[in-house]
Amino acid sequence: MATYTVETNGDVALSAAIAKTIINVINSANGVVKLVELSVSFDGTTANAEPVTVELCKSTQATAGTSTSHTMAQNSGPTRTVQATAARNYTAEPTVLTVLKRWLVHPQAGLLIQFPLGREPMQVTGSQGLAVRCTAPAPVNVQGYMEIEEG
């Protein structure tokens, strides 16, 4: 097994009330991708601002959407070539997205989740993705990452 990180590579601007996929890991044709950790943080400055909705989604990749491709960095495990692909900062959403988990996060804060061993979200269907999508009530920037295990 090896672990890899995909990240936003800096700020991703969220527009008011518009859902935006910030990171997506697309499984290889015959692979398994396991999400072991994810994090998002926001740069909001208003103490009484409404929370940002953060969603972990599965994506069928029926349409790929429009995004920036991202080369994942290997964190641990034997040196190997990652089979999954990654994208960030979508300007047109991938489809079809199904929400697996949802959190409300204050825009002056962040979220870090390390999934319990044996209960990590997985994408076992080839050429489909695990994505993080954010919807902010007011404009704010987000940074984040997903750490995945593949093998």
Side-chain angles (χ1 to χ4, degrees):
M1 296 290 202
T3 61
Y4 303 87
T5 299
V6 56
E7 51 102 11
T8 57
N9 200 33
D11 287 347
V12 172
L14 301 177
S15 299
I18 297 175
K20 182 175 184 115
T21 298
I22 63 166
I23 310 169
N24 193 7
V25 176
I26 299 103
N27 198 14
S28 63
N30 298 307
V32 174
V33 169
K34 184 186 297 186
L35 179 61
V36 296
E37 183 174 301
L38 79 83
S39 178
V40 293
S41 57
F42 304 96
D43 68 355
T45 58
T46 306
N48 62 349
E50 293 182 50
V52 178
T53 301
V54 177
E55 297 168 317
L56 174 62
C57 303
K58 279 198 174 187
S59 173
T60 66
Q61 294 300 113
T63 59
T66 305
S67 62
T68 302
S69 64
H70 185 78
T71 302
M72 288 186 266
Q74 185 170 354
N75 298 334
S76 67
T79 302
R80 58 188 294 267
T81 302
V82 64
Q83 300 301 304
T85 58
R88 59 184 164 82
N89 196 8
Y90 281 76
T91 56
E93 290 293 289
T95 62
V96 170
L97 294 173
T98 303
V99 176
L100 300 176
K101 298 185 182 286
R102 181 177 292 131
W103 304 272
L104 293 175
V105 182
H106 194 279
Q108 285 184 309
L111 172 73
L112 170 66
I113 297 178
Q114 295 176 321
F115 292 98
L117 193 60
R119 294 181 35 207
E120 304 95 334
M122 295 182 3
Q123 182 53 272
V124 297
T125 306
S127 304
Q128 295 194 10
L130 284 173
V132 176
R133 179 173 63 179
C134 297
T135 308
V140 68
N141 293 319
V142 60
Q143 291 191 20
Y145 70 87
M146 296 168 70
E147 185 172 321
I148 62 133
E149 187 175 271
E150 183 184 74

